[in-house]
Amino acid sequence: MTDLQKMTIDPAIQKLLEIAEADGIELAWDRLEAQQPQCGFGRLGLCCRNCAQGPCRIDPFGEGPQLGVCGATADTIVARNFVRMIAAGASAHSDHGRDMALTLLAAAEGEAPDYTIRDVNKLLEVAEFLKVPTKSRETMEIAKDVAEVALAQVGNQKGELLYLRRAPKKRQEVWRRAGIAPRGIDREVVEIMHRTHVGNDQWYESILMAGLRTALADGWGGSMLATDITDILFGSPVPLTAQVNMGMLSEEEVNIVVHGHEPVLSEMILAAVNDPEMIEYAKSKGAKGINLTGICCTANETLMRQGVPTIGNFLSQELAIMTGAIELMVVDIQCIMQALAPLSEQFHTILVTTSPKAHIEGATHVEFDEHHALEIAKKIVKMGIDNFPNRKETHIPAQVNSMVAGFSHEYINYALGGFYRGSFRPLNDAIIQGRLRGAAGVVGCNNVHTSQDQAHDYVVRELIKNDVLVVMTGCGAIACSKYGLLSPEAAELAGPGLREICEAVGIPPVLHVGSCVDNTRILTVLSQVASEGGLGDDISDIPGVGFAPEWMSEKAISIGCYFAASGVYTIMGGRSPIAGSKKVTEFLSEGWEEQLGGKLEFISDPEEAVQKALKHIDKKRAALGLVEYDPTRFGQSGDRLMRQFIEAMDAGLPVSLYSAKIPEQAKK
Ligand code: BF8
Ligand code: SF4
């Protein structure tokens, strides 16, 4: 493997890294090197700074100190650090959900005229879950109540979150029995901060179970509300084709890039760049038009609904600026590197921050306010257009790939069951028959410690090759779309059973279900699959796994934990932040599996991770009494054989369409 391949497998990024090296531009990889050696205690989760008597560090080799000044053990310190990660991640998702609810409220009250209700059916469905009456009521009246109940859920003090009822009954009972059915989102997060204060909860098991309750408040609360309200305001996604990677930057147009997470901003920027006046203005500055593209999850949001091209995932953000082709990058919240500000000063790019919660020193701040959304969005776009004449030399890589995105859980249901009988029955049947071995959710970030996208690409290729249907979100989805895995043609790479399904239904073997908050769509699919029958009656019965091969953010930890608490075997790649405690590591695995049927494990080797995942899927199949997975039983139909038959005919080779065996020379 070359040095460049060790950094990224994306050829567009490799090309830009070469330029960075030649020009002496410092990037995340250089800063990682400058950080070496990284603190071993911190890496293992063994450093506590929760009070001013510390920092206290526990010696993992048992030779140095084994207790913090207050007497905290390694297990306590590791568990406390871990659940604080959950709390931060759950806060990020849930505060995003809260902001979506506030936008819905403002829209319903007529104070945010640029937003409207694009999916009334979804509003009605959500209203039912939130116990908001709908009969003989105006849409905006319902929307106002939905927004208010959603906000009340965030601050709920007693009882349980209403969305827990979306889970299979058995799962709800598991949560109640374990004492982890979340109350309100804010309450759970505050409680974690309280529990982990010096001298409070000091038993790792109790700390970790509280962490799970907080993670559930994210998955079945804050994130689920964020997804639902986004669908209400901007429409539930349906499949569309789109393009991905740096080649979607334009040499001739004004390039505006949205980066961050909240579609409240990116949707308005999209409206602004499509304004004919803006386009004319861009032309007056010598550009051919305006080209909007995105990075990270806000890109996923606009991609899923509008087909806006995505130019990259987390580790691509600095390189995007390095193309010299971006007039303006507008960011809102989360996963935005501070390094973008000094970097953009080396180019002509204007970096605009917009959220009162996410300022960056050196960037231009234009505060976004949903009450004047379009006006502010136009102001930002105009700044970009005005910057076009300042563009100098550009290095836009040629790489572009096609993909299909937009698989909401509603659409997956529709695609598999058909319009008149939308259902997960065909999916369940495919798993029962063994045509599909199982299903997997592969999600999460890039992490500079591992080659960008490599683990995502490897894990997903292996899973589909083994007839495991894959659903993806976040930077993982962007990663795999760059290598063509989210296109229908990728069915060629799938195992025989999965390939047949893809060809029959017309879907890729890897389905893009959205941004990181949209992992909740996977929870909804899992619940509906469990309720459909034939695959047990709980999420933990389903032959499925969760993966976050390149995770780095605290949000990913929260996601991993709410999947585990929902009954899914979840594998996180890279380094384990709990490696400093054997007890904590075992509790997250065996302990949680015993109580909850799901577990969380950190496995750095992707090959080992895939093997464990397949083994787990087979174990679940056996527990359900399903036929053993046998790929040789399938693959005797489909487009591929027809294509091979025609090719062989053209080549004058002896073949029979009805023969399962095609002569070697007829194969590609
Ligand atoms: O929420 S996958 S790097 S962009 S945290 Fe961030 Fe990770 Fe990307 Fe989206 Ni999710
Ligand atoms: Fe040290 Fe305990 Fe304070 Fe942590 S809480 S820094 S272990 S004294």
Side-chain angles (χ1 to χ4, degrees), residues 220-545:
W220 297 84
S223 282
M224 204 172 264
L225 285 168
T227 295
D228 281 351
I229 297 174
T230 306
D231 284 351
I232 291 170
L233 284 169
F234 304 114
S236 298
V238 290
L240 42 75
T241 52
Q243 266 65 45
V244 60
N245 218 343
M246 292 287 178
M248 290 312 291
L249 288 170
S250 170
E251 291 283 5
E252 294 162 332
E253 294 165 299
V254 176
N255 285 309
I256 310 261
V257 177
V258 285
H259 174 19
H261 284 77
E262 283 183 349
V264 169
L265 169 75
S266 50
E267 286 277 345
M268 277 306 128
I269 298 284
L270 176 64
V273 300
N274 284 324
D275 183 319
E277 266 179 41
M278 283 289 157
I279 297 169
E280 276 314 305
Y281 187 60
K283 286 181 181 162
S284 77
K285 296 284 172 182
K288 284 210 167 143
I290 314 170
N291 180 44
L292 182 70
T293 55
I295 290 181
C296 283
C297 278
T298 208
N300 282 325
E301 299 278 3
T302 45
L303 165 81
M304 288 283 282
R305 297 185 181 80
Q306 328 281 357
V308 171
T310 299
I311 55 166
N313 45 4
F314 179 72
L315 275 179
S316 300
Q317 56 185 292
E318 291 181 277
L319 290 302
I321 290 191
M322 258 196 59
T323 60
I326 297 175
E327 273 60 53
L328 184 140
M329 183 182 280
V330 53
V331 303
D332 51 21
I333 49 163
Q334 300 168 19
C335 303
I336 301 143
M337 288 191 193
Q338 179 162 4
L340 295 185
L343 182 66
S344 59
E345 276 168 22
Q346 296 181 54
F347 296 86
H348 80 304
T349 307
I350 303 173
L351 179 70
V352 177
T353 53
T354 54
S355 168
K357 294 172 209 163
H359 291 263
I360 299 179
E361 192 180 351
T364 306
H365 190 74
V366 180
E367 193 141 315
F368 193 72
D369 170 4
E370 68 266 24
H371 299 90
H372 311 283
L374 190 57
E375 183 190 325
I376 297 168
K378 282 186 183 169
K379 179 176 160 190
I380 294 169
V381 170
K382 186 169 175 293
M383 285 165 67
I385 297 172
D386 285 333
N387 195 25
F388 183 74
N390 299 325
R391 193 190 282 186
K392 298 182 192 81
E393 195 190 355
T394 60
H395 302 283
I396 302 179
Q399 275 75 19
V400 172
N401 230 308
S402 294
M403 65 161 130
V404 178
F407 289 93
S408 55
H409 52 267
E410 287 88 349
Y411 190 83
I412 298 174
N413 185 315
Y414 158 73
L416 291 168
F419 186 74
Y420 294 106
R421 52 176 182 94
S423 123
F424 282 90
R425 191 72 253 153
L427 178 60
N428 285 32
D429 286 343
I431 295 175
I432 291 166
Q433 293 153 2
R435 196 177 289 276
L436 279 183
R437 189 171 186 172
V442 185
V443 310
C445 325
N446 288 144
N447 184 323
V448 72
H449 282 288
T450 55
S451 179
Q452 181 190 17
D453 303 340
Q454 190 183 32
H456 282 293
D457 184 69
Y458 173 81
V459 164
V460 170
R461 279 177 199 270
E462 285 299 310
L463 290 173
I464 61 173
K465 196 164 87 193
N466 281 282
D467 286 314
V468 176
L469 176 71
V470 175
V471 293
M472 298 195 81
T473 62
C475 288
I478 300 174
C480 288
S481 64
K482 287 192 265 179
Y483 313 109
L485 294 174
L486 276 71
S487 68
E489 290 71 32
E492 295 275 339
L493 304 169
L498 174 57
R499 191 172 57 221
E500 279 181 351
I501 292 176
C502 292
E503 289 172 354
V505 184
I507 52 171
V510 184
L511 305 181
H512 193 327
V513 299
S515 63
C516 276
V517 291
D518 293 337
N519 280 313
T520 60
R521 295 194 203 278
I522 304 177
L523 295 178
T524 308
V525 169
L526 290 171
S527 299
Q528 294 184 3
V529 165
S531 314
E532 185 64 44
L535 292 177
D537 48 11
D538 191 1
I539 295 173
S540 56
D541 297 329
I542 299 170
V545 286

Side-chain angles (χ1 to χ4, degrees), residues 82-140:
F82 188 67
V83 299
R84 281 196 171 199
M85 292 178 88
I86 297 178
S91 303
H93 286 147
S94 302
D95 211 29
H96 168 173
R98 185 200 323 263
D99 283 342
M100 295 308 301
L102 287 169
T103 304
L104 180 64
L105 184 63
E109 288 179 330
E111 288 174 7
D114 302 321
Y115 299 96
T116 172
I117 308 294
R118 288 205 201 141
D119 191 338
V120 176
N121 287 337
K122 184 92 183 207
L123 174 71
L124 297 176
E125 188 198 320
V126 171
E128 197 188 318
F129 274 115
L130 297 181
K131 299 184 175 170
V132 169
T134 54
K135 219 169 161 207
S136 318
R137 299 185 75 199
E138 295 284 330
T139 300
M140 285 308 187

